[in-house]
Amino acid sequence: MAVHVVGLSHHTTPLPIRERVALEAAELDDALHSLHYAGAAEVVILSTCNRTEIYARDGADAAAVDAARDFLCTRG
């Protein structure tokens, strides 16, 4: 079992991008479902004022990292 972390923080990303990527509570269900559908078997999203991180375990194929990265890129 592989657990992957994809994210950004105040150490690596300027504030305007972190603001676009941050998730509101109302968005979490849709985000989790889309990541699961994209290939992550289990997903946890941590979104605070300083960082957004996606922790994902691979499903049947190794798509968890790609799904998490793509998700953040489309928001940012």
Side-chain angles (χ1 to χ4, degrees), residues 5-74:
V5 180
V6 176
L8 43 86
S9 74
H10 64 284
H11 295 291
T12 61
T13 310
L15 179 62
I17 294 173
R18 290 195 324 266
E19 288 175 338
R20 290 194 311 258
V21 172
L23 290 159
E24 299 291 331
E27 300 174 286
L28 285 176
D29 280 343
D30 288 340
L32 292 169
H33 282 93
S34 68
L35 287 163
H36 180 72
Y37 180 76
E42 298 176 31
V43 182
V44 173
I45 298 174
L46 173 65
S47 188
T48 71
C49 59
N50 285 324
R51 64 184 175 174
T52 299
E53 297 171 341
I54 299 173
Y55 296 82
R57 183 176 68 83
D58 282 338
D61 53 12
V65 172
D66 291 337
R69 185 186 61 238
D70 293 347
F71 178 81
L72 291 177
C73 287
T74 59

